[in-house]
């Protein structure tokens, strides 16, 4: 295996036989002798492994890692990064596809800007509908401090655009590129926070080469599996990460409230025990937060109303007096 | 004289080139601009026909080729349409970009009822429109009512004379003039294409794949088993070497299962996924027999290359196509009524002896009863004489009044009324 690749593409896949040919075809069209492709088959039980075999001869530098039992997206990505040889790393998902020349332009952007990581825009594809989605940072092609991408709490910022596949990262970021082990969903939340808290430089460039396929029915985000509850673990980690940074706490709290409110709103898909676990864990997480900070951070809207019963009594009391 | 052409497939571009060669557009002194659009689900992944080597011999017929996908990226050609209020601005900008500020004398479009042809027609108003039709759909009714801003400008229809007993119904309601595309020019163009690598597959029977699961008509598993049935029939006829031409957009999905099935039976399968049209294969390999469900290649093979053709699965298709007015119904009906069926035991069952022209008009009327009301009496006579079997649906016949509607207030009756309303609503759209 050559040790001097420019870019390693980490592609975790699980039961995507119908979509993977699109991604691999588009990757084959992006192929470059300096690019390494690492496909991590995370316990597929459909024809995904055969699809990978069919395309194998189209890549000079391909590694395939097979997990007999699925370990989840976070550890699948970690497994990929652990064998990466590239100076830079990017992530892709098996049900999406990329535009011709995307990877070369991605590498050119980070080389030109010479920073720890570069984030990009993307296009969401629902059937033949296309909606361009922009990374929230409007300043383009200038090197910024990653911490400047976190606040304000009341606006959409770079930590609200957590998609790992919308960017390229220097591999020597090391542990910062690791996704929290064991998480099957929301694994990118603690990951993006830590990156913005601890890396030293980043930039956003106007490149929308990833086509993100919406409405994939077997996608985990639509299934009321108990693994969906991992968002609670993810936010426990995010909130723990800002424990000593009070100015960042309101942003993390508002993000958690937004996601929690959404999960409660769509909670019919969960089993009754899972719903009860969700409420219990959310209560525990709220109880770890300083009540004044929590009171201050809560948005005055329907989201807070939805989660109100899960707040500590002291916070509820202050809010009821204020209203 | 400036003409703007639009094509989305190689077959479409071949049709245009044949028309240009045959003098359908006069002496060719003017400027010819081809707008090429790639309408597959993920055009960012799969190249359109203009990058295929097969397009190279055709390219010289056009002064410029404009990539519509690139122009409107990242939008998809089949979805993007300008808002009415933005048409003047976008029309101006796109004309400027394409150097068409001095006007367009003729627009030549295929599949005019849907984007992107309809979009191009809207942006390049008020130029007169010629519609050319690629295949058997020209014998069926117009799917959607054209807005009068487009319908009134549509003057002629160019079509291949694939089934000599039929005349086109497409755009019939616009009192359009039909012109037959020259067979000689078309076969000459096929001869100009790069020759496919036939090897020792010359003469071997060919299975032409479609992509019926993408149309939602069959499940992916049913489509795979349809190809398998075709192979079974050919093997039963004694063939040991078969050629498979997968649909260009479904290559990877359809090849593996058929290859595995052929391997199990000890049959040699040559996969011809060369980006060339089926007709180029027919010309070079002169196959014994061509099998498909209802591909237009069955018609071009039989008519232009004298190949024996057979169909598998049209019965299921006719059953499945919904709604009744699905545009694929006419190609499926024509193939079912004119092409021998290949059975699993290898026998070729000749099609029923029917008045195909009368049948196609009757089915077309039932598909679009409002738009084709002058055909009502003829359709009623056909159904009265031949009954509703195979080509008609009971509910649709009740909805158009060819079968009595049950009078009891049963569930069926209410459902028929609902269907009837839907028919009326869709006809009025």
């Amino acid at each position: 295996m050559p040790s001097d690749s420019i870019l390693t593409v980490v592609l975790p896949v699980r039961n995507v036989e119908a979509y993977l040919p699109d991604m691999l075809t588009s990757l084959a069209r992006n192929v470059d002798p300096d690019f390494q492709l690492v496909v991590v088959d995370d316990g597929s039980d459909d024809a995904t492994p055969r699809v990978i075999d069919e395309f194998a001869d189209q890549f000079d530098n391909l590694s395939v890692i097979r997990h007999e039992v699925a370990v989840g997206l976070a550890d699948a990505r970690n497994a990929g990064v652990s064998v990466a040889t590239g100076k830079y790393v990017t992530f892709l998902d098996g049900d999406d596809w990329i535009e011709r020349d995307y990877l070369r332009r991605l590498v050119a952007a980070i080389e030109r800007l010479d920073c720890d990581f570069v984030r990009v825009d993307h296009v969401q594809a629902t059937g033949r509908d296309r909606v361009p989605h922009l990374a929230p940072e409007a300043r383009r092609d200038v090197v910024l401090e990653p911490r400047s991408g976190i606040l304000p709490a009341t606006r959409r910022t770079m930590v609200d655009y957590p998609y790992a596949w919308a960017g390229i990262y220097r591999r020597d970021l090391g542990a910062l590129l690791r996704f929290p082990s064991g998480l099957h969903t929301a694994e990118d939340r603690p990951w993006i926070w830590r990156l913005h808290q601890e890396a030293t430089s980043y930039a956003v460039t106007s490149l929308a080469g990833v086509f993100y396929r919406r409405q994939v029915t077997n996608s985990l985000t639509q299934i009321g599996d108990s693994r969906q509850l991992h968002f609670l673990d993810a936010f426990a980690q995010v909130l723990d990460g800002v424990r000593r940074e009070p100015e960042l706490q309101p942003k993390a709290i508002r993000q958690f409230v937004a996601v929690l409110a959404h999960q409660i709103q769509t909670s019919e898909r969960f089993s009754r025990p899972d719903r009860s676990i969700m409420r219990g864990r959310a209560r525990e997480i709220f109880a770890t937060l300083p009540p004044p900070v929590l009171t201050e951070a809560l948005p005055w809207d329907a989201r807070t109303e939805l989660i109100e019963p899960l707040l500590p009594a002291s916070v509820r009391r202050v809010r009821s007096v204020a209203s | 004289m400036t003409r703007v052409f639009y094509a989305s497939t190689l077959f479409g571009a071949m049709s245009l080139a044949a028309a240009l060669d045959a003098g359908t557009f006069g002496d060719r002194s003017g400027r010819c601009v081809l707008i090429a659009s790639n309408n597959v689900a993920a055009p960012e992944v799969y190249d359109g026909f203009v990058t295929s080597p097969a397009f190279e011999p055709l390219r010289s017929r056009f002064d410029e080729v404009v990539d519509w996908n690139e122009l409107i990226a990242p939008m998809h050609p089949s979805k993007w349409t300008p808002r009415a209020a933005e048409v003047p601005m976008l029309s101006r900008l796109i004309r400027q970009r394409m150097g068409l500020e001095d006007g367009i004398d003729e627009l030549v479009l295929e599949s005019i009822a849907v984007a992107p042809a309809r979009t191009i027609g809207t942006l390049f108003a008020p130029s007169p429109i010629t519609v050319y039709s690629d295949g058997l759909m020209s014998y069926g009714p117009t799917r959607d009512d054209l807005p009068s801003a487009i319908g009134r400008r549509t003057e002629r229809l160019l079509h291949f004379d694939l089934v000599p007993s039929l005349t086109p119904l497409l755009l019939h309601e616009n009192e359009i003039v039909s012109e037959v595309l020259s067979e000689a020019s078309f076969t000459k163009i096929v001869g100009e294409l790069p020759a496919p690598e036939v090897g020792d597959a010359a003469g071997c029977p060919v299975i032409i794949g479609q992509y019926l699961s993408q149309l939602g008509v069959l499940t992916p598993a049913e489509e795979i088993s349809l190809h398998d049935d075709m192979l079974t029939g050919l093997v039963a006829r004694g063939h040991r070497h078969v050629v498979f031409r997968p649909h260009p957009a479904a290559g990877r999905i359809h090849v593996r299962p058929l290859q595995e099935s052929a391997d199990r039976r000890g049959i040699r399968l040559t996969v011809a996924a060369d980006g060339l049209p089926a007709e180029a294969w027919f010309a070079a390999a002169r196959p014994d027999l061509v099998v498909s469900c209802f591909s237009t290649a069955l018609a071009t093979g039989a008519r232009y290359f004298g190949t024996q053709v057979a169909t598998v699965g049209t019965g299921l298709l006719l059953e499945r196509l919904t709604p009744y007015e699905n545009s694929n119904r006419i190609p499926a009906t024509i193939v079912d009524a004119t092409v021998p069926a290949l059975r699993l035991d290898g026998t070729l069952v000749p099609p029923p002896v029917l008045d195909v022209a009368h049948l196609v008009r009757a089915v077309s009327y039932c598909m679009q009863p409002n738009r084709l009301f002058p055909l009502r009496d003829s359709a009623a006579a056909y159904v009265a004489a031949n009954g509703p079997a195979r080509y008609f649906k009971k509910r649709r016949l009740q909805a158009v009044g060819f079968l009595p509607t049950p009078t009891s207030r049963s569930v069926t009756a209410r459902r028929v009324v609902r269907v009837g309303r839907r028919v009326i609503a869709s006809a009025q759209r």
Side-chain angles (χ1 to χ4, degrees):
Chain A
M1 187 183 294
S3 58
D4 52 353
S5 309
I6 291 283
L7 174 70
T8 297
V9 177
V10 175
L11 175 66
V13 294
R14 175 169 157 72
N15 292 349
V16 283
E17 59 176 2
Y19 307 112
L20 191 55
D22 288 347
M23 174 49 93
L24 291 177
T25 304
S26 68
L27 271 168
R29 293 168 44 136
N30 267 268
V31 88
D32 181 300
D34 288 335
F35 294 168
Q36 177 199 21
L37 172 61
V38 182
V39 181
V40 185
D41 176 13
D42 196 34
S44 293
D45 48 25
D46 68 353
T48 296
R50 265 191 303 191
V51 176
I52 298 169
D53 290 346
E54 274 171 28
F55 280 86
D57 61 358
Q58 303 204 28
F59 301 96
D60 295 336
N61 189 348
L62 167 73
S63 312
V64 180
I65 299 172
R66 290 197 205 281
H67 293 156
E68 291 305 319
V69 178
V71 296
L73 190 53
D75 289 306
R77 281 184 181 148
N78 291 339
V81 174
S82 71
V83 301
T85 61
K87 182 176 177 195
Y88 306 107
V89 173
T90 189
F91 302 94
L92 290 172
D93 283 354
D95 44 11
D96 301 336
W97 70 87
I98 57 174
E99 205 168 57
R100 181 202 295 273
D101 216 27
Y102 167 67
L103 295 178
R104 195 192 55 76
R105 292 171 70 189
L106 195 60
V107 170
I110 196 166
E111 297 257 80
R112 183 176 74 239
L113 292 158
D114 191 26
C115 51
D116 282 350
F117 65 100
V118 171
R119 305 294 311 283
V120 295
D121 306 320
H122 72 278
V123 179
Q124 298 202 354
T126 311
R128 284 172 166 81
D129 269 324
R130 300 283 186 271
V131 182
H133 278 251
L134 301 184
E137 174 58 67
R139 292 169 295 172
R140 300 295 168 112
D141 295 305
V142 287
V143 178
L144 304 167
E145 241 189 86
R147 297 182 74 88
S148 74
I150 300 176
L151 295 177
T154 51
R155 290 271 181 280
R156 212 172 116 74
T157 68
M158 289 306 289
V159 290
D160 298 303
Y161 188 78
Y163 319 114
W165 39 260
I168 181 168
Y169 314 87
R170 274 191 11 206
R171 188 164 59 89
D172 62 15
L173 285 168
L176 284 186
L177 288 188
R178 272 193 74 78
F179 290 83
S181 198
L183 295 192
H184 283 249
T185 183
E187 71 296 324
D188 45 11
R189 297 285 183 168
W191 181 85
I192 195 75
W193 271 89
R194 204 169 149 213
L195 204 53
H196 275 274
Q197 285 173 271
E198 295 183 31
T200 55
S201 59
Y202 93 113
V204 182
T205 197
S206 299
L207 172 61
V210 176
F211 287 73
Y212 173 72
R213 197 190 300 260
R214 296 292 308 273
Q215 286 181 350
V216 175
T217 43
N218 71 343
S219 158
L220 188 57
T221 51
Q222 299 188 2
I223 297 169
D225 193 290
S226 56
R227 287 173 296 183
Q228 271 283 297
L229 295 180
H230 288 172
F231 83 91
L232 293 157
D233 305 86
F235 275 102
Q237 291 185 33
V238 170
L239 290 161
D240 191 52
V242 296
R243 207 178 45 229
R244 291 193 187 79
E245 304 208 51
E247 76 283 5
L248 300 184
Q249 280 174 350
K251 177 74 189 176
I253 291 169
R254 287 177 79 103
Q255 228 180 30
F256 176 50
V257 169
V259 172
L260 178 63
H262 172 76
Q263 297 286 349
I264 289 174
Q265 232 167 1
T266 56
S267 63
E268 322 80 62
R269 63 206 170 118
F270 288 114
S271 69
R272 193 175 285 271
D274 278 350
R275 261 178 282 175
S276 150
I277 293 170
M278 175 161 80
R279 285 192 299 268
R281 293 280 329 270
R283 262 193 208 98
E284 281 166 33
I285 292 171
F286 282 126
T288 64
L289 301 169
V293 178
L294 181 54
T295 309
E296 188 77 9
L298 290 169
W300 287 95
D301 61 20
R303 287 173 297 185
T304 304
E305 273 166 45
L306 268 170
I307 58 115
E308 191 105 47
L310 307 176
L311 294 171
S314 58
V315 174
R316 265 180 289 169
R317 216 171 310 118
V318 173
R319 287 180 55 84
S320 68
V321 169
S323 61
Chain B
M1 201 51 130
T2 299
R3 288 193 173 84
V4 173
F5 300 85
Y6 154 72
S8 65
T9 62
L10 189 61
F11 190 89
M14 288 163 65
S15 311
L16 290 176
L20 280 162
D21 289 2
T24 307
F25 302 108
D27 63 359
R28 321 243 338 241
S29 54
R31 183 171 162 227
C32 291
V33 178
L34 174 66
I35 296 177
S37 182
N38 179 3
N39 303 337
V40 301
E44 299 83 6
V45 183
Y46 303 99
D47 285 332
F49 70 90
V50 284
T51 57
S52 144
F55 179 65
E56 283 315 308
L58 310 182
R59 191 182 285 273
S60 61
R61 267 96 173 174
F62 304 97
D63 299 293
E64 290 133 75
V65 178
V66 175
D67 183 335
W68 189 253
N69 297 72
E70 189 185 294
L71 191 72
I72 66 165
M75 308 313 282
H76 192 287
S78 304
K79 276 287 176 175
W80 179 72
T81 51
R83 289 183 229 169
E86 292 170 350
V87 168
M89 169 187 71
L90 285 162
S91 171
R92 191 165 61 239
L93 294 175
I94 290 175
R95 281 166 200 259
Q96 276 170 10
R97 153 94 189 242
M98 290 173 58
L100 294 169
E101 296 100 317
D102 295 336
I104 301 161
D105 299 290
E106 187 174 8
L107 267 177
V108 187
L109 310 173
E110 65 174 345
S111 309
I112 193 178
V114 294
R118 187 161 158 173
T119 311
I120 294 167
T122 304
L123 290 169
F124 294 153
S127 312
I129 297 172
T130 291
V131 172
Y132 73 98
S133 181
D134 58 349
L136 295 173
M137 277 195 203
S138 59
Y139 297 115
T142 319
R143 189 175 87 177
D144 299 302
D145 262 334
L146 294 179
S148 58
I150 289 193
R152 291 278 169 87
R153 290 154 56 204
T154 306
E155 298 179 351
R156 55 177 178 162
L157 171 71
L158 311 178
H159 70 100
F160 286 111
D161 189 23
L162 294 171
V163 187
S165 58
L166 298 178
T167 51
L169 267 181
L170 183 69
L171 300 168
H172 182 79
E173 66 281 8
N174 288 285
E175 287 163 18
I176 198 165
V177 178
S178 302
E179 282 178 42
V180 171
L181 286 162
S182 154
E183 173 184 343
S185 302
F186 180 74
T187 48
K188 182 175 155 285
I189 280 165
V190 171
E192 288 177 34
L193 301 180
E197 285 183 31
V198 171
D200 57 357
C204 293
V206 181
I207 296 174
I208 308 270
Q210 294 175 274
Y211 202 170
L212 303 171
S213 53
Q214 199 187 41
L215 299 176
V217 186
L218 297 183
T219 66
E222 284 170 334
E223 186 155 34
I224 285 165
S225 112
L226 179 69
H227 295 152
D228 208 51
D229 289 351
M230 294 174 184
L231 186 64
T232 304
L234 291 173
V235 172
R237 288 181 73 76
H239 294 287
R240 312 297 297 164
H241 185 180
V242 172
V243 177
F244 179 45
R245 296 190 55 86
H247 186 276
R252 296 257 169 195
I253 301 167
H254 291 160
V255 169
R256 184 171 24 86
L258 196 64
Q259 183 74 63
E260 284 171 1
S261 171
D263 291 349
R264 273 196 305 275
R265 306 161 192 246
I267 297 299
R268 187 150 155 231
L269 189 75
T270 294
V271 177
D274 46 22
L276 295 168
E279 290 77 12
W281 186 271
F282 300 161
R286 294 287 161 182
D288 242 21
L289 180 60
V290 174
V291 187
S292 184
C293 186
F294 65 96
S295 166
T296 292
L298 291 175
T300 56
R303 182 104 170 97
Y304 297 157
F305 298 92
T307 310
Q308 187 177 19
V309 296
T311 176
V312 175
T314 44
L316 179 62
L317 256 289
L318 290 170
E319 199 52 51
R320 286 287 179 82
L321 287 170
T322 56
Y324 189 78
E325 59 270 25
N326 187 315
S327 305
N328 289 304
R329 181 170 299 283
I330 289 300
T333 300
I334 293 172
V335 168
D336 187 83
T338 60
V339 174
L342 174 64
R343 289 243 182 93
L344 293 177
D345 65 7
T347 50
L348 287 175
V349 183
V353 182
L354 294 169
D355 180 346
V356 177
H358 201 179
L359 166 69
V360 168
R361 296 206 154 216
V363 171
S364 297
Y365 170 77
C366 292
M367 288 168 71
Q368 300 290 349
N370 197 13
R371 199 168 303 141
L372 296 179
F373 69 88
L375 301 183
R376 181 175 174 85
D377 291 347
S378 151
Y382 185 90
V383 175
N386 297 279
R390 199 159 180 93
Y391 303 107
F392 302 90
K393 295 271 174 79
K394 200 172 151 202
R395 277 194 217 150
R396 179 56 61 112
L397 292 176
Q398 288 168 341
V400 300
F402 289 175
L403 282 181
T405 307
T407 45
S408 70
R409 294 178 57 83
S410 66
V411 174
T412 333
R414 265 177 272 138
R415 215 182 284 147
V416 170
V417 171
R418 225 165 34 231
V419 170
R421 279 200 201 111
R422 221 183 299 144
V423 171
I424 291 163
S426 71
Q428 286 171 340
R429 237 193 303 131

